[in-house]
Amino acid sequence: MSKDLTKKAADMLLSGATLLSEPCPYCSGVRVMKEGHALCIKCGREPEKKEIPIRDEQQITKTGLEITLEKKLLDLSKELEHETNHEKQQEILRSINSIIETIKKLEKH
């Protein structure tokens, strides 16, 4: 995941985007959605219905830790949406970035 994608996702979240519970159909990464556009934080792609590849069973299976981290991302996204304190927003974004990096490391193994 590039720093540009991380920054874009954080900016989207700050401007009202939400994290999706469905993973990216290309790489199983976490996606952020705003105004009907779902951006994958891992690969940067926005899926088009006619291009969605069929994933094998290994890609579909997630560990309990991955599921827990994705739920935490959703919780933090909701918290960020309602937070008005700038310092608290920055703290939440740092937590989100840390979780995204952890998920990325887990997906490599």
Side-chain angles (χ1 to χ4, degrees), residues 16-91:
T18 57
L19 290 169
L20 296 176
S21 60
E22 301 84 23
C24 173
Y26 299 105
C27 69
S28 298
V30 176
R31 297 186 300 159
V32 177
M33 178 175 267
K34 183 169 183 194
E35 298 172 357
H37 298 285
L39 171 71
C40 176
I41 295 173
K42 183 177 177 186
C43 71
R45 294 176 77 178
E46 292 186 45
E48 295 178 20
K49 290 181 182 175
K50 61 186 175 186
E51 288 186 18
I52 296 175
I54 298 172
R55 298 179 294 165
D56 63 24
E57 190 63 34
Q58 183 180 10
Q59 289 178 313
I60 296 170
T61 304
K62 292 186 179 188
T63 67
L65 178 57
E66 288 173 312
I67 292 168
T68 301
L69 289 171
E70 287 179 5
K71 287 179 183 176
K72 188 63 176 173
L73 279 174
L74 290 173
D75 292 342
L76 286 169
S77 174
K78 290 174 188 173
E79 184 179 341
L80 181 63
E81 186 176 345
H82 299 289
E83 184 58 56
T84 57
N85 181 300
H86 179 71
E87 289 177 11
K88 182 67 175 168
Q89 288 175 347
Q90 294 302 313
E91 182 182 322

